[in-house]
Amino acid sequence: MLQVETNPHVGSIVVVQAHAPLEHDSDTPSHAIWISAFDVEHLGGDAIAHLPEASTSVKAAVARISGGPGGQGEIDQMVPYRSVQALTGLLEQGIAFTPDGIMVEALRNGWNGERAEALRRIAAELSTNAPRPTPATPDSSGQ
């Protein structure tokens, strides 16, 4: 901490006691999202693992949502529409994502916590209600 504190490139240091799962927020189950988004350094106690890295497609989809009118996660009238459209497109292409991974990418794209959590909820609802691929059935010729 003393080495970090005296570094001229460090403007501030924030130390919080991190928990997994979070008891105060049922929508965000642990600090793993924040730890992953901001590459938080573990200083002591039980470590909370980083979430798996999102695929390039997922990162690009969240960046597209972030970069449109009202970018940086501004929830104007179009962002929920763009969010649903982009995430549904991923599901239709068979590209998997997790709601937590979507929130990580939103935070990395400069979204504030409240808006990133809103995007996470959209992702959770879409992934829960997504139609599951049906196995191909052979045609009448048996193929």
Side-chain angles (χ1 to χ4, degrees):
M1 286 288 295
L2 292 174
Q3 289 175 341
V4 172
E5 183 180 43
T6 58
N7 184 323
H9 300 289
V10 175
S12 60
I13 299 172
V14 177
V15 178
V16 296
Q17 185 176 8
H19 304 279
L22 294 179
E23 296 176 8
H24 64 278
D25 185 357
S26 61
D27 287 333
T28 308
S30 80
H31 281 98
I33 293 168
W34 299 87
I35 289 167
S36 300
F38 298 109
D39 198 25
V40 173
E41 184 177 349
H42 176 247
L43 299 176
D46 295 333
I48 297 174
H50 284 211
L51 296 172
E53 191 73 19
S55 71
T56 303
S57 298
V58 170
K59 290 178 180 185
V62 176
R64 276 194 307 275
I65 297 166
S66 301
Q72 300 304 317
E74 293 297 322
I75 301 293
D76 60 16
Q77 293 178 346
M78 290 302 292
V79 169
Y81 171 78
R82 284 196 312 266
S83 301
V84 170
Q85 189 177 39
L87 298 177
T88 300
L90 291 173
L91 291 170
E92 288 172 350
Q93 294 174 40
I95 298 170
F97 60 82
T98 64
D100 290 353
I102 294 293
M103 186 171 169
V104 166
E105 293 309 315
L107 291 168
R108 287 179 176 167
N109 277 276
W111 293 46
N112 72 29
E114 181 179 319
R115 292 182 172 139
E117 288 173 2
L119 183 61
R120 183 188 180 284
R121 284 190 292 274
I122 291 170
E125 185 165 330
L126 287 173
S127 61
T128 299
N129 296 323
R132 303 293 177 235
T134 55
T137 58
D139 60 21
S140 60
S141 65
Q143 301 199 16

